[in-house]
Amino acid sequence: MISRRPCDPGYPRRLRDMRKPPDPLWISGDLPDDRLPTVGIVGTRRLTSYGARVARELATALAAAGAVVVSGLAQGIDSTAHSAALDAAGLTVAVLGEGLAAFDELGPVLRRRLAARIARSGAVVSEYGLDVRPADWTYPRRNATIAGLSDVLVVVEAPETSGALITADRMRDLGRPVFLVPGPLGAPTWIGSNRYIAEGKGTLLVGAEPVAAVLGLRIGPAGRDPEAADDASQLLAFLAARATDADAIAAGLGIPPAEATTLIAEQLIAGTIVATGDGRFARR
Amino acid sequence: MDLTALSAAAEPAADQTKPPSRVAHVSTCALWGLETALISVEADVANGLPHFSIVGLPDTAVSEARERVRAAIRNSGFEFPLRRIVVNLAPAERRKEGTGFDLAIALAILRASDQLRTDVDGLCLGELSLDGTLRPIRGVMPRILRARECGIERAYLPSENASEAAALGSDAVGLRTLRAAVDHLDGRVRQPSAPMPPPAPEPTWEMDLADISGQDTPKRALEIAAAGGHNLLFIGPPGTGKTMLARALPSILPPLEPDEVLLTSAIHSVAGLTDPAHPLLTARPFRAPHHTASRLALVGGGVPPRPGEVSLAHSGALFLDEMAEFPANVLETLREPLEEGAITISRAGATATYPARFTLIAAQNPCPCGRLGDPEATCSCLPDAISRYRSRISDPLLDRIDMRVAVPRVPYRELRERAPRETSSVVRARVRAARERMRHRLAGTTRRCNAEMTKREVDRCCELDAGGERMLAAVVSSRRISARGYHRLLRVARTVADLEGIERIAVEHLALALLLRGDT
């Protein structure tokens, strides 16, 4: 664990654009090279399975293309983005709203494990003293730091009063681009992001490519097999919006249950869909 | 029957001319868990200061028999001998428990003091009250079985327990009082032997599968669980019918096999749950303990160790509603019986092994608020709260659950649909046919259904067709499936094929097993 002041070499240069850069910044692990493009992926803690899928797909595609994924290591979208980036063998940086030592001691065990994985290749950083405990007032500044570290920001899923929208505001202050994933009208976890788009403050996101283009990257060929059987792609399309159970899949695709069973089993083996642990199936 | 009994009774009476042996012998039976041993109660009435002692490792309840027997003998119009009385429970090296020895002790004393003029030729069981009335006891069935193995066909026991013994084919004489016992033995007033109780009528089920609309996959899973004995977990929002589905299980379970009836009934007899009108169980037990149940209630315990819910559910089903609400330490105690099919309860001075081979049917909500995955409601749970809720059921326990099935909310139009649905009796016929195939395949072993197959039997009996082999190879290479999971998967696939009456497991059978397994 080391600390860096804005005048030190090794301090992330992007943070110097901020009106009041974190001073000092505590770092666990190695910050990725400043020349690598960075993308912030943030969103609600209370995520839907659709939000989780989009966050995972975006983080996977951008991390594989060479971008550093920056997020806040909260439960929900943040953790999903971090772990997807790690699974794609990419680099990722987590910004905490509490002291590094306090998190190591008191943080939830699952995310402590995730933090350890992040620090092995990337870094976990915080602008708070080592033993500062998290509180409501520590998060807005953390959100600003995420904005400070990101070239581009993607807000995946944000309810009306979301910290992710604070990050988006700070991005606009810095004059950096903000993309937002649109969601279903009336869904409480999307009200904030939909309104942000409607007010013209951010760009509506339609895929990973525009984000990559801003960063000067190219998305590799899609992982999906274009030769995939018709039924399989129908199944994936049916599961695009949300996870559901076997009976609903058979009814939705209009095929006999036995056929649906074989189809689901084949896709489970192929790894394109996963069981959610409560008897339903979701796209990976 | 009565005539032969009379002549048998006449002979010992003639023996009275011999110099009387002052030691009387009466047979009874001791019970530890399900383990039994024939006990000979010996009474010696000798000259000396008035004294009454019981030796042969009696526990407190047996020692207290002194007071009960003394009062009962006096209050039945006999004389309690004012001499030196020693009663021995032989063999003397094991501790005897319970109140079932009272009748045998009283008859032995009466015989030794010549107030009973005939030797007792049968097994005596029963507790005495102070006025000489006989009270019923627990655990008659295993004791009668032991006596019959030892060649004792006749039993004298409280009239409430007589049907239990008669159901096992024993010549059971039900008695109300100590006086009646002596009168019967001496041939003054003969009591008739208890008739064989009528077989239990075909039970009526509170819930039929036809009462439940929609839910095709959950019903399918229930049928597979009933046929193969596989463990099943229903997950769904509140009010979608998880409990209804589970409650419909008894209506599709096959009836008990003749060789299962005795053991299952004996466990219920030890627990004191026998129905006097129909002592032998015919339907498989279905036990549904509430989630406030303690560890001891679930697996058994106490001194002497009594069977718990897992043993009462032996050869039937154990239903845990709201499984996540059971305390973690209670759930973890299920692991051993789920794997071994038996539970050994060890306490200071007492050990009992009860069989506990049951099908586990469990139900739980998908998340703390219960609305996750419900299209008509929004879940308000944070991801951490959901994973905490899920982790209340540990991975080792989940690994032993073969099927995890979602029970979704049924749309209104399906609820209103009046199309005829498959009834339980149709499903039950399929389940019975599948069981028949399993029995045939596992003939010569003690195992009865696919869930009990050993690994070697899985390898021998689960032959796949070409497509099935390909799919299984893909499963093994792509999903880090555990060795236990691999065998459990094949057992379920075997049952799916058995339900269709097909010997070789095909792709669709394996696919359904994989889909129902539902793990990540």
Side-chain angles (χ1 to χ4, degrees):
Chain A
M1 240 174 268
I2 51 166
S3 70
R4 287 276 179 269
R5 309 202 54 180
C7 53
D8 292 339
Y11 188 83
R13 70 170 162 80
R14 290 182 185 85
L15 288 182
R16 297 201 184 105
D17 294 349
M18 294 172 72
R19 208 172 44 201
K20 196 169 168 252
D23 180 16
L25 184 72
W26 287 90
I27 303 164
S28 159
D30 295 315
L31 275 174
D33 193 316
D34 258 346
R35 283 164 295 186
L36 290 175
T38 58
V39 54
I41 298 179
V42 293
T44 180
R45 293 180 298 154
R46 207 177 294 268
L47 81 179
T48 59
S49 68
Y50 173 62
R53 179 173 70 81
V54 173
R56 195 179 310 116
E57 287 182 359
L58 284 174
T60 306
L62 293 168
V68 177
V69 173
V70 181
S71 193
L73 197 63
Q75 53 179 317
I77 298 288
D78 290 11
S79 301
T80 309
H82 283 303
S83 46
L86 289 172
D87 290 346
L91 294 175
T92 177
V93 174
V95 187
L96 296 185
E98 57 201 292
L100 293 178
F103 180 79
D104 268 351
E105 200 177 321
L106 301 167
V109 64
L110 278 178
R111 291 209 294 287
R112 270 193 338 230
R113 262 182 234 152
L114 182 57
R117 273 181 74 202
I118 293 171
R120 240 173 273 152
S121 57
V124 180
V125 303
S126 169
E127 63 205 274
Y128 295 104
L130 286 180
D131 52 357
V132 173
R133 306 276 291 274
D136 284 351
W137 59 268
T138 60
Y139 287 105
R141 260 176 62 189
R142 186 273 310 246
N143 295 338
T145 307
I146 295 175
L149 281 171
S150 308
D151 292 329
V152 185
L153 182 75
V154 180
V155 179
V156 174
E157 183 174 7
E160 210 160 4
T161 54
S162 172
L165 296 180
I166 298 181
T167 311
D169 285 341
R170 297 292 87 80
M171 281 302 271
R172 281 161 43 85
D173 294 347
L174 291 167
R176 297 178 186 168
V178 178
F179 288 89
L180 297 104
V181 178
L185 297 182
T189 52
W190 298 90
I191 290 178
S193 20
N194 283 345
R195 185 169 300 158
Y196 213 81
I197 299 170
E199 288 166 358
K201 296 195 212 160
T203 313
L204 189 146
L205 185 85
V206 289
E209 290 82 4
V211 183
V214 171
L215 295 172
L217 299 172
R218 285 195 48 194
I219 301 288
R224 194 149 311 122
D225 182 7
E227 301 278 298
D230 246 7
D231 276 349
S233 48
Q234 268 189 33
L235 171 66
L236 294 179
F238 184 69
L239 290 177
R242 58 188 210 88
T244 190
D245 59 281
D247 284 346
I249 290 171
L253 298 184
I255 54 178
E259 223 170 281
T261 303
T262 316
L263 180 61
I264 295 170
E266 279 166 356
Q267 295 305 309
L268 275 175
I269 296 169
T272 54
I273 64 173
V274 289
T276 54
D278 56 5
R280 296 179 302 146
F281 302 93
R283 251 171 83 167
R284 198 177 175 80
Chain B
M1 173 56 80
D2 264 347
L3 277 177
T4 55
L6 270 172
S7 62
E11 272 168 12
D15 285 350
Q16 292 304 311
T17 51
K18 277 199 305 190
S21 148
R22 291 294 85 182
V23 177
H25 298 267
V26 177
S27 299
T28 184
C29 193
L31 181 71
W32 304 273
L34 280 178
E35 197 189 331
T36 51
L38 211 58
I39 301 289
S40 170
V41 177
E42 305 166 345
D44 177 60
V45 177
N47 291 331
L49 285 175
H51 176 75
F52 180 17
S53 64
I54 299 180
V55 297
L57 279 185
D59 79 341
T60 315
V62 181
S63 297
E64 284 173 350
R66 287 213 312 264
E67 305 306 326
R68 287 193 298 272
V69 166
R70 194 200 307 266
I73 286 182
R74 265 193 307 117
N75 293 331
S76 300
F78 299 108
E79 183 196 348
F80 190 81
L82 284 178
R83 297 162 73 187
R84 186 180 173 80
I85 304 172
V86 178
V87 170
N88 180 33
L89 309 178
E93 86 272 357
R94 264 195 96 169
R95 179 164 289 276
K96 323 292 185 302
E97 292 156 349
T99 53
F101 304 112
D102 292 6
L103 178 64
I105 293 172
L107 289 177
I109 292 172
L110 291 176
R111 178 74 190 107
S113 60
D114 256 348
Q115 300 179 73
L116 171 65
R117 311 192 72 82
T118 319
D119 278 335
V120 183
D121 56 344
L123 189 78
C124 295
L125 295 172
E127 175 185 332
L128 283 170
S129 72
L130 297 187
D131 62 359
T133 314
L134 274 169
R135 293 171 166 281
I137 59 167
R138 288 186 300 114
V140 166
M141 275 192 201
R143 303 194 218 214
I144 294 289
L145 284 175
R146 162 59 60 143
R148 298 203 59 193
E149 278 170 28
C150 299
I152 302 178
E153 290 293 337
R154 184 165 301 165
Y156 302 101
L157 67 182
S159 44
E160 290 90 338
N161 291 128
S163 65
E164 278 180 64
L168 300 177
S170 182
D171 175 16
V173 180
L175 303 161
R176 299 210 168 277
T177 61
L178 179 59
R179 181 91 232 174
V182 173
D183 286 346
H184 174 85
L185 286 164
D186 276 346
R188 284 191 288 273
V189 183
R190 305 295 298 191
Q191 304 287 336
S193 296
M196 174 82 86
E202 188 67 13
T204 53
W205 312 109
E206 52 174 319
M207 190 70 69
D208 195 284
L209 276 185
D211 299 338
I212 302 166
S213 43
Q215 313 291 21
D216 295 332
T217 300
K219 281 182 186 173
R220 195 85 199 277
L222 201 64
E223 181 179 335
I224 294 167
H230 307 288
N231 303 320
L232 169 62
L233 172 61
F234 284 131
I235 305 180
T240 52
K242 303 186 291 291
T243 309
M244 263 173 73
L245 277 162
R247 296 254 170 217
L249 179 71
S251 69
I252 59 170
L253 279 176
L256 280 174
E257 307 285 345
D259 49 340
E260 292 172 305
V261 169
L262 285 186
L263 180 56
T264 313
S265 305
I267 299 170
H268 284 247
S269 170
V270 170
L273 293 177
T274 303
D275 172 10
H278 309 290
L280 289 183
L281 297 175
T282 50
R284 291 182 184 270
F286 181 81
R287 306 291 303 182
H290 187 249
H291 61 71
T292 51
S294 70
R295 247 173 359 170
L296 296 189
L298 209 59
V299 300
V303 179
R306 295 234 204 151
E309 293 289 343
V310 293
S311 303
L312 294 174
H314 176 72
S315 67
L318 180 72
F319 173 43
L320 302 183
D321 205 356
E322 305 296 350
M323 193 186 194
E325 306 300 329
F326 279 82
N329 62 349
V330 173
L331 287 180
E332 291 313 303
T333 56
L334 290 178
R335 275 156 58 174
E336 191 201 354
L338 276 175
E339 203 68 8
E340 312 289 334
I343 180 111
T344 301
I345 306 158
S346 296
R347 299 286 181 270
T351 301
T353 299
Y354 287 111
R357 193 172 293 289
F358 55 89
T359 304
L360 178 67
I361 308 289
Q364 77 165 96
N365 290 337
C367 68
C369 81
R371 293 192 288 262
L372 183 68
D374 185 348
E376 287 161 32
T378 312
C379 171
S380 61
C381 303
L382 290 171
D384 279 6
I386 296 174
S387 61
R388 258 199 310 279
Y389 185 78
R390 296 263 175 88
S391 66
R392 286 192 199 172
I393 301 172
S394 68
D395 283 346
L397 191 58
L398 271 183
D399 203 24
R400 290 167 168 85
I401 292 179
D402 307 277
M403 295 179 276
R404 250 187 278 176
V405 180
V407 183
R409 192 171 293 288
V410 177
Y412 177 74
R413 66 187 150 73
E414 265 184 64
L415 277 181
R416 298 293 299 169
E417 205 176 53
R418 286 275 173 263
R421 290 186 284 259
E422 202 168 38
T423 61
S424 286
S425 56
V426 177
V427 178
R428 195 168 190 228
R430 271 206 303 272
V431 168
R432 289 185 74 160
R435 275 274 167 135
E436 204 48 54
R437 295 179 72 87
M438 294 174 203
R439 260 184 100 75
H440 185 68
R441 189 179 302 122
L442 296 172
T445 71
T446 55
R447 291 166 286 282
R448 297 159 204 284
C449 57
N450 286 345
E452 296 172 14
M453 280 196 288
T454 61
K455 292 194 170 73
R456 197 175 305 149
E457 280 159 357
V458 170
D459 293 336
R460 180 167 59 83
C461 305
C462 298
E463 197 189 343
L464 292 105
D465 68 4
E469 286 287 0
R470 267 199 305 279
M471 181 177 265
L472 187 65
V475 172
V476 173
S477 61
S478 73
R479 301 157 33 104
R480 296 164 296 274
I481 191 166
S482 71
R484 197 204 318 258
Y486 170 85
H487 285 103
R488 287 194 170 256
L489 184 70
L490 278 178
R491 289 188 187 109
V492 175
R494 176 72 268 164
T495 304
V496 177
D498 281 339
L499 278 168
E500 291 181 12
I502 295 170
E503 197 50 43
R504 290 187 86 168
I505 301 173
V507 181
E508 60 262 30
H509 309 139
L510 192 64
L512 185 61
L514 191 64
L515 177 147
L516 291 175
R517 186 158 172 82
D519 58 0
T520 44

